[in-house]
Amino acid sequence: METAVGRIALFGLLLALVTTLPNKDDWDIYSFHINSTVTGRYATTVITSRVANRMNESKEIEFQVRIPKNAFISKFKMLIDGQEYDGVVKPKEQAQQQYTEAVSRGQSAGIVSSVGRTLEEFKTSVTVAAHKKVTFELTYEELLKRRHGKYELQIHARPMQPVKDFKVDVYINEEAGINFIEVKGGLSTKALANAITKTHAKKEAWVYFYPTEDQQKTCDSCSDQGMNGDLVIVYDVNRDTSLGDIKKSAGYFVHHFAPSNLPRIPKNVVFVIDQSGSMSGRKIAQTRMALIHILSDLAEDDFFGLISFDSQLFHWKRELVQATGANLESAKTFARNIRDRGATNINEAVLEGARMLNAHPREGSASILILLTDGDPTTGVTNLGQIQANVKGAIKGKFPLYCLGFGFDVNFEFLEKMSLQNDGVARRIYEDSDANLQLKGFYEEVATPLLTDVTMIYLGGTNLTQTNFSQYYNGSEIVVAGQITDNNIETFIPQVVAISSNRRLVFSDTNTTAVSTGTMTDHHIQRVWAYLTVKQLLEKELLVSGPEKKSVTEEALRLSLKYNFVTPHTSMVVTKPLGETTDVLHKPKEGETTSDLSALDLPTRQHSPPMLSSPGSSGRMFSMAFLRPDFGSGTLHHPQGPTGNSRSRSRSRSRKVKVQSAQVDLFDYEDYTDYGTALNLPRGRGPLPTIVTTQKNLGRVYQRSHRFLIKPDNQSLPLCFDVAGNTQLKLFHHPNRGLSVNGRLDATLHGGFKKIVIHSSTDVHIEVETTGITVREGQTKTRHTGQDLITAGSVTVIKRDKEIDIAAGDTRLLILIHNRGHKESLWPVLRQLPSDPSTTGILALKPTVYEEVQQTSSTKLKINNQEIDVSRSTADDFSIASTPTLDCWLMSAESALQGSLDDFTITKL
């Protein structure tokens, strides 16, 4: 079998792009899914691309993926004609040997190379027989980094052709609670914004991106070849405790430490700016612009210095001075006059910056040294190792050095090592129109120190990741993972000791520790520890030499193999059909290009330029939910949330909230009516109550009711209302496209919708039931129970395991199949709402603004200047497969709809 083995080395960050580059006449990407799960800031993303060879002969089909540089690929497999070909991670030397043999035979080789700022590109191919299919599946993992007070999960999509079954599903679960969640990026704007739906429920959040085939051609970054852009999921967690968020399970722990209720520490900062001849043109202009902006952000209690250098040094002042208004204006004038010229004397410039900071010790402050350069040292001391030794000796661990490398002419490894030796980091600044924003963005990450000399202490812990940090900055986060000695949770005691200004602080609160159990959580926490450990071992390799370096490399390799991570020391071996060519890919270092890999005899390939993110809207949500009835003493009461009205009665306040109704959630409960007499409440005067009963109340008949949620686009509570019986509802009507969707509610226990019917034009009718799909097209009637793609007129129907995906023009409807009480039911979710204002139906309710007024005796909402009595209730949201429980404001249907329910009911499906 060894001759049938092909080698693929892969790697990673925060984004996913699967790119298949077909000739449309040859093969078709009929399904493209990206599923990302984030638990405790650790993201696992699975990309699945299914491709069919439509030709009468065998064809070579390519699979191309761009993944984040910060991530590790952990799984890759192909499914061809019922046969699965799995990847195995092995030491790179073994992969290299087989790769060399393949090249000597004249076979093609795969390649991983850097693409833009955040991506690495992987590409392979396989031959598929005529009219056969292949499935590619790639999995990668990464720990999201907190910057500027938020985490960002980036998902890039460029299928290179419109795909009928395209979707992105993101699920986030944070035990600390999710403070906010937003969706940005180039694929979240304009026409595609309506393809995004979002749900946020305390500790969980869901984001869905379901663009129709038509939309994939018409967005700003779209063409006949489909989409080319990214989604960025932005969120942060609640931070209620100073010690942070600690999870422990199965002998491992992970600690996220990011206190936010601390005063800022005044800083001393020296900027060392390269003005050598290579900085000419746009680079020096952008540097001046960024520097002037940064100077404007200095606080008056900060002290600063400014040096520019080429072969000589140019001081603004020879000592640090306070950031007064007059000093800042003088410094800006100096910055405006920085001109490119001469050679590059990095050694003398950095040593002078360190001297200025050492000469200005200030109790209760934090010192920072920032170097910006675009090239190697060319004058003065030019030996890189000597420069690093000189700088380390000058700083002596007193403050961090941050190195910014401008462009690709710079020796980034030199800057990275020098930064790591001095408790800092290196960052590449890309030569682009936004380089000044990149510079400002980095400065903002370190602009507000909150703690210095941070020591993370774990009694009863072992095999710890980094535990000492020179500084902690506002908006960032410190993450430590390790093993618990003998898995003894009782003796495991976490503690953090740090300096805030001139005060010594101790953070210790064992009550904040969350003990998690369960196989998935056990596996998850252990992988976070392994990921962090390998990352830090790879950094440590730069700092050590000799036997110690060998030991560090061996440990990084051991863990990479154990946890199936593709790292700079490993490659992935993929078994392929007999006779296929060998593909081997090697993870590049930061800044390494295809030409840099020539020593590996890798062929040069062209790669498309990176896509930049741009802000966008979050989309709309309308979903289904289920209310669990309360059974009590036989009294009539208004349902409350888990804590009753105590939360809402804490204080009186009024605020405006925009409720977005583009996705409605249905939820069900039972009305118990004496001897069939219906409960008759006045319209618009408050919520429908839940009736509870005792065993003594006999002779009652059950009337099934369903609850709908109108979700907001912010963090406020959704509205909810009830619809009784087996009502037939107008779910959606798009008159300009001749599209209608109607549904019949099921009156049985745990029922949702029994049947949903889609009408397109005048002669296409699609009936969806849990048992199958019936299509009537003209006089033709067909019944479908499998998962083959169905096309009827302009409507496409895709049946998956527990969902039915329906696309028609600019509309995308998902029908979920739920099983409750051993009975299946349907739940419609509008994943894509057209921008056409003429659409109507309960799934197309327009946004509502309500004013929330909480008083001591009752809670009211003001909608369109009318006050409405409401009560707090809960509902299981069936627009989500896992049915999370949401709080909501319960009111009558007429109040929520601002009209009669009769406007949404129909007599015929």
Side-chain angles (χ1 to χ4, degrees):
M1 285 297 295
E2 188 65 17
T3 58
V5 173
R7 304 219 167 241
I8 305 179
L10 325 143
F11 354 89
L13 182 156
L14 176 275
L15 176 213
L17 149 69
V18 177
T19 310
T20 19
L21 302 173
N23 180 331
K24 292 183 180 179
D25 296 331
D26 292 349
W27 39 283
D28 172 46
I29 307 169
Y30 64 92
S31 177
F32 188 103
H33 296 173
I34 301 176
N35 293 276
S36 189
T37 300
V38 184
T39 304
R41 293 77 141 178
Y42 193 72
T44 301
T45 301
V46 181
I47 308 160
T48 306
S49 180
R50 296 178 176 89
V51 189
N53 178 9
R54 306 297 187 192
M55 303 299 288
N56 295 323
E57 59 185 5
S58 297
K59 285 291 180 182
E60 184 181 23
I61 293 180
E62 293 182 343
F63 175 75
Q64 195 170 330
V65 59
R66 292 177 183 176
I67 63 174
K69 293 178 181 178
N70 198 44
F72 292 146
I73 286 178
S74 56
K75 187 176 182 180
F76 177 71
K77 68 179 181 180
M78 296 182 296
L79 183 66
I80 305 172
D81 203 18
Q83 179 68 42
E84 190 170 288
Y85 302 90
D86 292 305
V88 179
V89 174
K90 291 187 177 182
K92 179 169 286 186
E93 289 74 12
Q94 296 181 20
Q96 177 66 34
Q97 181 180 353
Q98 191 159 356
Y99 165 82
T100 304
E101 294 172 358
V103 171
S104 67
R105 293 192 298 267
Q107 296 177 341
S108 63
I111 178 173
V112 171
S113 60
S114 295
V115 179
R117 304 177 186 180
T118 58
L119 301 178
E120 290 168 345
E121 184 171 84
F122 155 65
K123 181 179 179 180
T124 189
S125 63
V126 67
T127 300
V128 178
H131 302 291
K132 294 293 184 177
K133 300 176 180 179
V134 58
T135 297
F136 300 99
E137 184 178 289
L138 179 92
T139 302
Y140 71 85
E141 305 173 32
E142 64 171 329
L143 182 66
L144 303 184
K145 291 185 177 181
R146 187 171 186 253
R147 293 192 176 105
H148 305 295
K150 60 192 177 185
Y151 306 95
E152 291 190 354
L153 174 71
Q154 189 177 11
I155 297 176
H156 194 91
R158 191 180 63 144
M160 295 307 294
Q161 68 173 225
V163 181
K164 290 184 182 296
D165 182 14
F166 179 97
K167 66 171 187 170
V168 176
D169 296 330
V170 177
Y171 170 63
I172 301 173
N173 184 355
E174 296 287 355
E175 281 298 316
I178 298 173
N179 181 265
F180 73 89
I181 182 166
E182 300 172 348
V183 183
K184 299 181 178 180
L187 296 182
S188 69
T189 59
K190 297 187 178 180
L192 285 179
N194 289 332
I196 299 170
T197 53
K198 181 183 66 173
T199 295
H200 175 198
K202 295 180 180 177
K203 298 181 179 181
E204 298 174 290
W206 297 260
V207 176
Y208 302 101
F209 179 53
Y210 282 56
T212 64
E213 191 174 11
D214 287 347
Q215 282 182 303
Q216 295 173 43
K217 306 173 188 176
T218 58
C219 67
D220 286 348
S221 56
C222 301
S223 66
D224 289 340
Q225 292 185 325
M227 294 181 297
N228 186 354
D230 44 35
L231 289 178
V232 182
I233 316 302
V234 181
Y235 77 97
D236 197 17
V237 302
N238 297 326
R239 305 184 185 278
D240 296 332
T241 60
S242 60
L243 185 61
D245 177 21
I246 305 176
K247 298 182 182 65
K248 304 180 294 186
S249 184
Y252 289 85
F253 77 90
V254 59
H255 181 191
H256 296 265
F257 177 70
S260 57
N261 55 342
L262 298 170
R264 64 176 294 278
I265 299 175
K267 62 180 178 291
N268 314 303
V269 57
V270 174
F271 303 96
V272 181
I273 307 299
D274 185 349
Q275 66 170 41
S276 60
S278 57
M279 286 284 290
S280 63
R282 187 165 67 169
K283 283 194 288 188
I284 198 70
Q286 291 175 321
T287 299
R288 288 194 296 261
M289 186 185 308
L291 188 55
I292 290 169
H293 178 89
I294 289 170
L295 291 171
S296 298
D297 285 346
L298 291 175
E300 191 166 355
D301 58 355
D302 291 336
F303 279 69
F304 73 104
L306 181 55
I307 301 171
S308 64
F309 71 95
D310 43 52
S311 57
Q312 304 177 41
L313 300 187
F314 300 90
H315 295 81
W316 167 63
K317 303 283 187 184
R318 292 190 175 273
E319 306 297 335
L320 269 64
V321 300
Q322 189 173 356
T324 63
N327 284 336
L328 290 174
E329 286 305 313
S330 174
K332 290 177 186 179
T333 300
F334 177 86
R336 292 186 187 100
N337 291 318
I338 293 177
R339 296 289 183 266
D340 55 279
R341 42 157 281 182
T344 308
N345 191 341
I346 292 177
N347 181 75
E348 186 179 0
V350 178
L351 292 183
E352 176 62 11
R355 182 202 66 78
M356 292 174 66
L357 287 172
N358 285 324
H360 191 84
R362 191 160 60 113
E363 187 176 355
S365 66
S367 295
I368 302 169
L369 182 58
I370 298 177
L371 165 68
L372 170 67
T373 182
D374 76 331
D376 293 340
T378 59
T379 189
V381 178
T382 58
N383 181 279
L384 303 185
Q386 186 61 54
I387 295 173
Q388 290 164 342
N390 293 344
V391 170
K392 184 176 180 180
I395 293 177
K396 297 179 180 178
K398 296 178 182 178
F399 45 82
L401 167 65
Y402 297 103
C403 296
L404 305 180
F406 208 140
F408 284 91
D409 294 331
V410 69
N411 186 330
F412 192 81
E413 186 172 315
F414 158 67
L415 296 181
E416 184 177 28
K417 182 175 181 178
M418 191 161 63
S419 294
L420 291 172
Q421 287 175 331
N422 296 283
D423 300 316
V425 296
R427 184 78 57 82
R428 188 181 298 280
I429 303 300
Y430 292 86
E431 294 185 52
D432 211 333
S433 59
D434 69 337
N436 60 311
L437 298 179
Q438 297 175 56
L439 290 168
K440 289 186 290 186
F442 172 80
Y443 169 75
E444 288 167 1
E445 291 181 35
V446 299
T448 311
L450 299 180
L451 296 172
T452 60
D453 301 320
V454 182
T455 303
M456 315 289 284
I457 302 170
Y458 303 93
L459 299 179
T462 186
N463 289 331
L464 305 173
T465 59
Q466 180 181 347
T467 55
N468 293 291
F469 303 86
S470 61
Q471 296 182 5
Y472 160 70
Y473 300 100
N474 187 41
S476 67
E477 182 174 64
I478 292 174
V479 183
V480 178
Q483 294 177 261
I484 300 173
T485 305
D486 299 325
N487 195 18
N488 190 340
I489 295 178
E490 298 300 323
T491 60
F492 177 75
I493 302 174
Q495 188 180 77
V496 179
V497 178
I499 303 299
S500 173
S501 295
N502 56 0
R503 297 180 302 132
R504 181 177 182 270
L505 298 182
V506 178
F507 303 86
S508 180
D509 182 4
T510 55
N511 292 329
T512 64
T513 301
V515 180
S516 304
T517 58
T519 304
M520 183 177 296
T521 302
D522 297 348
H523 173 75
H524 164 79
I525 293 177
Q526 186 175 349
R527 292 191 74 83
V528 175
W529 169 80
Y531 174 95
L532 268 178
T533 301
V534 172
K535 282 286 185 183
Q536 293 176 8
L537 285 171
L538 294 175
E539 289 182 349
K540 190 175 181 180
E541 279 186 299
L542 292 173
L543 306 179
V544 297
S545 59
E548 186 178 5
K549 184 181 183 70
K550 181 181 178 182
S551 175
V552 170
T553 300
E554 289 175 349
E555 180 63 8
L557 174 60
R558 185 187 71 83
L559 290 175
S560 298
L561 295 174
K562 179 178 180 179
Y563 292 95
N564 219 50
F565 291 148
V566 179
T567 70
H569 297 303
T570 57
S571 297
M572 185 170 279
V573 177
V574 178
T575 303
K576 298 169 69 175
L578 190 65
E580 287 289 309
T581 59
T582 299
D583 287 352
V584 176
L585 304 154
H586 296 277
K587 185 176 180 68
K589 297 177 181 178
E590 167 59 39
E592 202 168 37
T593 63
T594 303
S595 59
D596 297 326
L597 303 175
S598 58
L600 301 176
D601 293 328
L602 295 177
T604 301
R605 302 196 180 186
Q606 296 297 320
H607 304 289
S608 58
M611 289 297 300
L612 302 179
S613 301
S614 59
S617 61
S618 62
R620 301 183 174 187
M621 277 298 282
F622 182 97
S623 56
M624 315 286 295
F626 175 75
L627 171 65
R628 293 171 293 203
D630 298 320
F631 295 91
S633 59
T635 59
L636 177 68
H637 76 283
H638 294 285
Q640 306 298 324
T643 58
N645 263 348
S646 60
R647 211 179 333 174
S648 63
R649 295 176 182 176
S650 60
R651 63 186 185 275
S652 295
R653 61 189 178 94
S654 176
R655 59 191 177 98
K656 289 188 177 180
V657 185
K658 183 177 181 181
V659 180
Q660 200 149 19
S661 326
Q663 183 173 359
V664 168
D665 302 353
L666 169 69
F667 110 118
D668 307 323
Y669 78 101
E670 294 161 20
D671 270 348
Y672 296 83
T673 309
D674 286 325
Y675 303 104
T677 303
L679 179 68
N680 192 8
L681 288 181
R683 289 188 176 186
R685 291 192 58 187
L688 294 175
T690 299
I691 302 177
V692 296
T693 184
T694 64
Q695 294 180 349
K696 294 181 180 181
N697 294 327
L698 304 176
R700 295 190 170 196
V701 296
Y702 296 86
Q703 182 178 356
R704 186 67 183 154
S705 291
H706 309 265
R707 177 158 296 170
F708 288 83
L709 294 170
I710 304 178
K711 293 183 180 178
D713 60 355
N714 49 28
Q715 308 309 316
S716 57
L717 292 183
L719 308 181
C720 53
F721 60 93
D722 299 319
V723 179
N726 59 351
T727 308
Q728 296 187 146
L729 293 174
K730 179 175 71 173
L731 296 174
F732 182 73
H733 179 51
H734 193 340
N736 291 336
R737 284 192 174 269
L739 179 69
S740 294
V741 182
N742 302 320
R744 177 184 297 139
L745 292 169
D746 194 336
T748 61
L749 185 64
H750 299 311
F753 280 88
K754 185 175 184 179
K755 178 187 288 188
I756 294 175
V757 180
I758 299 98
H759 304 280
S760 178
S761 65
T762 57
D763 57 353
V764 175
H765 311 278
I766 301 170
E767 296 183 5
V768 179
E769 299 172 292
T770 58
T771 55
I773 300 169
T774 301
V775 178
R776 292 185 176 88
E777 194 167 5
Q779 300 299 315
T780 305
K781 177 180 177 181
T782 56
R783 178 75 172 171
H784 304 265
T785 57
Q787 297 194 7
D788 291 336
L789 184 144
I790 304 168
T791 301
S794 61
V795 181
T796 299
V797 181
I798 301 168
K799 174 72 165 63
R800 305 189 190 102
D801 184 30
K802 287 295 181 182
E803 63 184 28
I804 300 162
D805 194 334
I806 300 165
D810 57 354
T811 303
R812 188 119 174 227
L813 177 74
L814 194 69
I815 300 176
L816 299 177
I817 303 174
H818 287 288
N819 191 322
R820 293 182 68 88
H822 306 290
K823 179 181 175 63
E824 289 187 328
S825 59
L826 305 173
W827 305 90
V829 185
L830 198 61
R831 289 283 187 240
Q832 167 57 53
L833 178 67
S835 56
D836 190 331
S838 66
T839 56
T840 58
I842 207 163
L843 294 180
L845 293 173
K846 299 301 185 289
T848 300
V849 175
Y850 72 77
E851 193 173 332
E852 181 182 322
V853 182
Q854 295 182 350
Q855 301 172 340
T856 55
S857 59
S858 65
T859 300
K860 295 178 182 290
L861 300 185
K862 182 182 289 187
I863 302 177
N864 292 334
N865 296 319
Q866 179 185 7
E867 288 194 356
I868 301 168
D869 289 324
V870 297
S871 65
R872 194 163 182 142
S873 186
T874 60
D876 291 339
D877 183 357
F878 279 87
S879 71
I880 308 294
S882 59
T883 63
T885 299
L886 303 182
D887 291 339
C888 64
W889 291 121
L890 179 60
M891 62 181 63
S892 69
E894 288 76 10
S895 297
L897 299 173
Q898 289 293 286
S900 173
L901 181 61
D902 294 341
D903 296 336
F904 297 90
T905 59
I906 53 175
T907 58
K908 184 179 179 181
L909 287 181

